[in-house]
């Protein structure tokens, strides 16, 4: 199992906007002004037809303009103006969302320059090859390039030789350099980043024009944004409602002819007789009946959701992944670096009977001197601080043979020149080594090992061969520290209806102890890549959506299978290609934030859809009585807002219909605040806040607009 390592980054969970420090949700007048030309360009029917609701509104605005030219009145021209304003405001919502992305893309473009690359031909490992200078955009997949200190990496790829410190601030926004080296799970580099020290050889893995920066620019600008399944389904519903209301309004024409024939005393200005004024009134009725509010904001909501991910340095390959994150039922999380701090520390030395604490501490320190892992260094420090042992280095020991750790032996150690041998490693491996060296393992050792494992620690056994006698000395207790606040976060996941599963290579006893301390719902111990894949398939067969993180090549199959696969930017190219999201900060806990962003996207869309449908109720009370009161005086009872006149009522409803779009742009960009709770509570809150609020707000808004509109000429 690969272990994800999180690189230090201050305030990692805070959004870090790029390109102008754009604040989510704030309606900046400068941004509105800057986005207006784009909104006007979107009036092109070839662009607008993708939004059926607003396309119908534009057709109605064109027809009303023609009718107003034929029969010009103050009323008709005011209706025409606000119909066009409705279309422009809808386009403006999308343009503002895209404009925020374009501001972010500017800084990314500065990182993507037409740099030159030092391409190597005939390169072999350890060799040099023939070097030639080519333009970075001309690099092909599989090309080998060399990059030295001070130079920019010309394209996405994997380090195949060397190690270097790399500045990735242009991509991640973090000023702290990171280490990239050949082999392992920290070999991937991103085009546009800068090598600060040393020299590396990179194999290009991207195709021309498909680098991470290219994809980020396209993502934040909305150029390649595809509608998600839920968004498509909602668009179909809105289109169906629009078509129904088109037919409903069209049937008013026969009613107009019939009403005029049976009510000859009704003035033409008040009868539905098909003249210019009534035609415009029917368009106004249609625009107020169809769900223009959510139709106008739907695209902006989707773009803003992607924008929130980018602000948190997450690159989503598609909107489908963002939406799936909001529907996730099962969350698979690596233990190391995600649930725990990742660096296990020596917490206790537990010697066997017959071994003094000083003897064991000396043996533990000696066997760890050449161990450069955080665990090995912590053992050396613990022995020094707790037992007063002086600091020693491997170079002080003459003719010592240092035994490196391997996955096969699962232990490391040292052979000293006097024949003294020390080994430190997994309990079973050291026990087998002691037996093979002619010694015996006391039964007490197994009890200590089980006790350490049951407490959530990792046991490392130390053994020795001295003067021909092999024996086990005791156990080093390595403590895996659970990150602060993880239990609270998992409680939140549980309230959201999400099941959390911890993935670890530890034995079941250790895994259970950490799982209980962290508060996860389940765990998978001694996990292999095949185990992860089988677990994901099992969950999906039960109808659940699964999200997971990974960084290694061995994680690629599981990342590809998961509904939401978040690859670490520090990971291999295979992992990043398999996942549908890439975390540029390489922070495994980011998966929890991604799920919350996905849920916020779904809730925002649902809230504004509820509000849009609810506020149509007030429009019915405004327009229907205004249209029919002359024919059916009893309908005046429906004029609960006591609007001034039929013309002012109709105009007020149309104006409110346009203004509410502008008023809701900040909410669509910022998103509805998400509070972890059950689906039933979220539905109740949506209905109470945005359902009831969507009914009340238009009554107040239309009445206030009517008080102003009635002062205009022609509104008597």
């Amino acid at each position: 199992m690969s272990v994800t390592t999180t690189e230090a980054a201050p305030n990692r969970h805070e959004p870090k906007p790029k390109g102008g420090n754009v604040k989510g949700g704030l309606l900046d007048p400068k941004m509105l002004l800057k986005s207006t030309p784009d909104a006007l360009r979107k009036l092109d029917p070839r662009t607008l037809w993708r939004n059926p609701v607003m396309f119908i509104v534009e057709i109605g605005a064109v027809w009303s303009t023609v009718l107003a030219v034929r029969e010009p009145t103050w009323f008709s021209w005011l209706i025409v103006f606000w119909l066009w304003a409705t279309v422009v405001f809808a386009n403006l919502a999308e343009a503002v969302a895209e404009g925020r992305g374009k501001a972010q893309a500017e800084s990314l473009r500065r990182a993507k320059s037409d740099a030159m690359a030092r391409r190597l031909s005939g390169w072999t490992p350890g060799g040099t090859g023939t070097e030639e200078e080519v333009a970075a955009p001309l690099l092909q997949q599989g090309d080998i390039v060399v990059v030295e200190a001070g130079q920019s990496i010309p394209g996405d790829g994997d380090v195949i030789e060397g190690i270097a410190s790399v500045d990735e601030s242009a991509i991640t926004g973090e000023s702290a350099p990171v280490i990239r080296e050949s082999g392992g799970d920290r070999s991937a580099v991103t085009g546009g980043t800068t090598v600060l020290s040393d020299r590396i050889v990179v194999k290009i893995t991207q195709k021309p024009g498909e680098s991470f920066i290219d994809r980020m620019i396209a993502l934040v600008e909305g150029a390649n944004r595809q509608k998600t399944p839920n968004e498509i389904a909602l668009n179909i519903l809105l289109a169906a409602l629009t078509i129904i209301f088109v037919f409903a309004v069209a049937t008013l024409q026969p009613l107009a002819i019939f009403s005029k024939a049976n009510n000859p005393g009704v003035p033409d200005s008040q009868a539905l007789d098909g003249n210019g004024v009534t035609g415009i009134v029917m368009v106004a009725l249609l625009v107020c009946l169809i769900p223009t509010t959510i139709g106008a904001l739907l695209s902006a909501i989707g773009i803003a959701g992607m924008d929130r991910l980018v602000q948190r340095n997450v690159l989503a390959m598609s909107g489908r992944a963002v939406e799936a994150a909001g529907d996730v039922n099962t969350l698979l999380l690596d233990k190391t670096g995600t649930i725990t701090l990742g660096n296990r520390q020596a917490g206790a030395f537990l010697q066997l009977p017959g071994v003094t604490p000083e003897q064991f501490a000396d043996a533990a320190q000696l066997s760890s001197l050449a161990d450069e892992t955080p665990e090995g260094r912590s053992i050396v420090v613990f022995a020094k601080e707790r037992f007063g042992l002086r600091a020693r280095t491997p170079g002080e020991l003459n003719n010592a043979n240092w035994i490196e750790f391997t996955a096969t032996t699962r232990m490391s150690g040292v052979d000293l020149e006097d024949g003294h041998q020390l080994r430190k490693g997994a309990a079973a491996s050291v026990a087998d080594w002691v037996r093979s060296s002619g010694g015996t393992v006391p039964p007490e050792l197994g009890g200590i090992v089980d006790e350490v494992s049951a407490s959530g620690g990792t046991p490392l056994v130390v053994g020795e061969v001295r003067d021909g006698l092999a024996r086990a000395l005791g156990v080093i207790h390595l403590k895996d520290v659970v990150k602060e606040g993880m239990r609270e976060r998992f409680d939140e996941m549980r309230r959201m209806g999400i099941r959390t599963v911890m993935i670890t290579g530890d034995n079941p006893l250790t895994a259970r102890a950490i799982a209980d301390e962290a508060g996860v719902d389940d765990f998978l111990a001694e996990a292999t890549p095949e185990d992860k894949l089988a677990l994901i398939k099992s969950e999906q067969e039960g109808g659940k959506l699964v999200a997971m993180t990974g960084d290694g090549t061995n994680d690629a199959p599981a990342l590809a299978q998961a509904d939401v696969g978040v690859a670490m930017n520090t990971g291999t190219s295979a992992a990043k290609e398999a996942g549908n999201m890439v975390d540029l900060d390489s922070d495994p806990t980011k998966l929890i934030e991604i799920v919350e962003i996905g849920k916020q996207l779904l809730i925002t869309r649902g809230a504004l859809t509820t509000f849009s449908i609810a506020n149509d109720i007030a429009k019915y009370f405004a327009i229907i009585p205004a249209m029919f009161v002359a024919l059916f005086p009893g309908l005046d009872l429906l004029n609960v807002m006591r609007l001034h006149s039929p013309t002012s009522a109709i105009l007020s409803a149309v104006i409110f219909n346009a203004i509410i779009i502008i008023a809701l742009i900040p909410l669509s960009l910022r998103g509805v605040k998400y509070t972890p709770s059950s689906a039933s509570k979220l539905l109740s809150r949506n209905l109470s806040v945005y359902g009831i609020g969507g009914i009340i707000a238009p009554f107040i808004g239309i009445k206030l607009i009517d008080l102003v509109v009635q002062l205009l000429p022609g509104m008597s």
Side-chain angles (χ1 to χ4, degrees):
M1 177 184 176
S2 66
V3 178
T4 304
T5 303
T6 304
E7 299 177 9
N11 299 323
R12 186 179 300 280
H13 297 294
E14 293 300 319
K16 291 164 285 188
K18 302 177 178 65
N21 193 28
V22 180
K23 294 183 179 180
L26 297 183
L27 195 58
D28 186 357
K30 292 182 180 179
M31 182 64 75
L32 282 177
L33 187 61
K34 187 176 180 180
S35 302
T36 299
D38 288 335
L40 295 176
R41 280 191 288 271
K42 291 177 181 291
L43 290 174
D44 186 343
R46 292 171 297 183
T47 301
L48 200 61
W49 72 269
R50 296 183 180 88
N51 187 337
V53 176
M54 302 318 300
F55 184 60
I56 292 295
V57 177
E58 184 176 47
I59 292 175
V62 171
W63 184 36
S64 298
T65 303
V66 173
L67 295 177
V69 170
R70 292 175 54 189
E71 299 286 342
T73 64
W74 269 100
F75 173 77
S76 60
W77 280 114
L78 285 171
I79 290 289
V80 167
F81 173 82
W82 284 104
L83 289 177
W84 281 111
T86 303
V87 185
V88 172
F89 290 167
N91 292 342
L92 192 60
E94 184 175 1
V96 168
E98 291 176 352
R100 287 152 49 93
K102 290 176 181 177
Q104 293 176 342
E106 289 303 319
S107 63
L108 296 174
R109 282 198 176 91
R110 287 193 289 271
K112 181 179 181 294
S113 60
D114 292 333
M116 301 300 291
R118 298 164 59 190
R119 184 167 62 186
L120 298 177
S121 302
W123 178 86
T124 56
T128 56
T130 304
E131 184 178 315
E132 61 175 333
E133 197 169 66
V134 298
L138 298 180
L139 290 174
Q140 299 293 321
Q141 196 173 30
D143 283 348
I144 307 295
V145 298
V146 59
V147 191
E148 295 183 341
Q151 297 178 342
S152 293
I153 297 173
D156 299 344
D158 290 326
V159 179
I160 56 176
E161 183 178 273
I163 180 172
S165 176
V166 180
D167 176 11
E168 295 187 341
S169 59
I171 305 298
T172 66
E174 299 291 354
S175 57
V178 295
I179 300 299
R180 295 290 176 260
E181 58 185 324
S182 59
D185 295 340
R186 304 171 67 80
S187 61
V189 290
T190 306
T193 58
T194 304
V195 173
L196 299 178
S197 67
D198 302 295
R199 173 185 182 273
I200 53 175
V201 177
V202 177
K203 182 177 182 179
I204 300 299
T205 58
Q206 72 179 53
K207 295 179 181 178
E210 295 184 6
S211 70
F212 262 69
I213 291 184
D214 289 321
R215 283 186 283 180
M216 285 186 72
I217 291 173
L219 174 71
V220 299
E221 287 187 327
N224 293 335
R225 193 186 82 87
Q226 297 180 343
K227 293 181 178 179
T228 63
N230 285 348
E231 193 174 347
I232 292 172
L234 185 54
N235 258 318
I236 293 174
L237 174 63
L238 297 181
L241 289 174
T242 300
I243 292 172
I244 291 172
F245 283 122
V246 166
F247 282 109
V249 173
T251 59
L252 293 177
Q253 196 70 356
L255 178 61
I257 298 172
F258 174 81
S259 64
K260 179 64 176 174
N262 288 273
N263 297 275
V266 176
D268 287 345
S269 60
Q270 296 182 7
L272 301 176
D273 60 0
N275 62 29
V277 173
T278 304
I280 290 177
V281 169
M282 287 195 294
V283 173
L285 174 64
L286 175 63
V287 171
C288 290
L289 289 178
I290 62 178
T292 51
T293 306
I294 186 60
L297 299 173
L298 189 58
S299 181
I301 294 169
I303 295 173
M306 302 287 279
D307 175 67
R308 283 191 288 275
L309 273 183
V310 173
Q311 287 183 15
R312 287 163 176 80
N313 285 343
V314 177
L315 173 62
M317 304 306 180
S318 69
R320 181 189 297 267
V322 185
E323 195 169 84
D327 288 327
V328 160
N329 307 108
T330 304
L331 214 56
L332 306 186
L333 298 164
D334 269 348
K335 183 202 75 172
T336 307
T338 304
I339 295 173
T340 64
L341 292 175
N343 296 334
R344 294 171 295 178
Q345 305 290 313
F349 288 164
L350 308 172
Q351 66 275 1
L352 288 168
V355 180
T356 67
E358 291 74 18
Q359 286 177 324
F360 183 74
D362 183 67
Q365 188 186 60
L366 274 175
S367 63
S368 302
L369 285 180
D371 186 352
E372 292 300 323
T373 65
E375 292 87 351
R377 291 194 295 270
S378 76
I379 294 171
V380 173
V381 172
F382 187 81
K384 175 186 174 184
E385 293 179 347
R386 293 294 181 92
F387 296 91
L389 297 180
R390 68 180 182 85
R392 293 181 284 188
T393 62
E396 295 179 21
L397 304 177
N398 297 325
N399 301 320
N401 179 33
W402 299 100
I403 311 299
E404 294 184 358
F405 175 86
T406 66
T408 303
T409 63
R410 299 183 66 195
M411 59 183 180
S412 59
V414 61
D415 293 340
L416 303 175
E417 60 179 345
D418 60 358
H420 186 195
Q421 299 178 7
L422 291 167
R423 295 293 185 271
K424 176 201 70 186
S429 299
V430 175
D432 290 342
W433 176 78
V434 169
R435 294 189 187 99
S436 66
S437 300
T440 59
V441 177
E444 294 91 342
L445 181 66
I448 297 175
V449 168
D450 289 343
E451 184 179 348
V452 171
S453 298
S455 68
T458 300
L460 294 180
V461 174
V462 178
E464 72 168 2
V465 174
R466 184 192 288 268
D467 300 328
L469 176 64
R471 62 172 179 167
L473 299 177
V475 177
I476 300 172
H477 183 178
L478 293 181
K479 292 183 178 179
D480 215 348
V481 181
V482 174
K483 290 182 178 179
E484 185 178 354
M486 291 307 296
R487 174 174 285 276
E488 289 73 16
R489 300 204 75 173
F490 290 136
D491 288 341
E492 289 181 2
M493 295 291 110
R494 203 168 292 111
R495 288 195 294 272
M496 293 157 56
I498 296 175
R499 176 172 171 262
T500 53
V501 181
M502 182 183 76
I503 309 295
T504 177
D506 290 337
N507 62 69
L509 284 175
T510 302
R512 179 175 297 280
I514 294 293
D516 290 342
E517 183 180 353
V520 296
D521 297 310
D522 202 353
F523 65 90
L524 178 65
E526 297 177 341
T528 64
E530 293 76 16
D531 293 334
K532 295 180 189 178
L533 189 60
L535 176 60
I536 292 173
K537 289 182 177 179
S538 174
E539 292 289 322
Q540 290 173 331
E541 287 172 359
K544 298 178 180 178
L545 294 183
V546 180
M548 74 161 289
T549 61
D551 61 355
T553 301
N554 60 350
D555 290 325
L559 287 171
Q561 181 68 35
D563 300 283
V564 180
V566 183
M568 301 295 101
N569 192 38
T570 55
T572 62
S573 295
K576 291 193 283 189
E577 289 298 324
N580 48 27
M581 290 188 188
V582 176
D583 177 18
L584 301 176
D585 288 334
S586 300
D587 175 13
T589 61
K590 191 75 70 68
L591 180 58
I592 298 175
E593 291 185 64
I594 291 171
V595 170
E596 291 174 348
I597 290 172
K599 287 191 174 294
Q600 185 184 34
L601 172 65
L602 297 178
I603 289 171
T604 302
R605 186 186 297 151
L608 292 182
T609 300
T610 302
F611 184 90
S612 177
I613 294 174
N615 70 25
D616 283 344
I617 296 175
K619 299 171 192 174
Y620 302 155
F621 281 93
I623 291 187
I624 299 298
M627 293 181 65
F628 291 96
V629 69
L631 298 174
F632 309 105
L635 288 178
D636 187 57
L637 293 174
L638 296 180
N639 184 16
V640 294
M641 290 177 278
R642 311 319 299 169
L643 301 178
H644 177 67
S645 66
T647 51
S648 71
I650 294 169
L651 182 58
S652 298
V654 173
I655 293 174
F656 176 85
N657 196 62
I659 290 177
I660 196 63
I661 295 173
I662 287 289
L664 290 175
I665 289 178
L667 182 60
S668 66
L669 299 183
R670 184 183 64 249
V672 175
K673 184 179 179 181
Y674 173 68
T675 302
S677 57
S678 64
S680 59
K681 289 184 178 178
L682 289 175
L683 179 60
S684 299
R685 190 183 69 177
N686 254 13
L687 291 177
S688 60
V689 176
Y690 296 97
I692 298 175
I695 294 174
I696 296 174
F699 276 95
I700 299 173
I702 291 175
K703 178 60 179 179
L704 292 176
I705 294 172
D706 179 72
L707 295 175
V708 177
V709 165
Q710 65 182 334
L711 303 177
L712 299 175
M715 294 297 127
S716 59

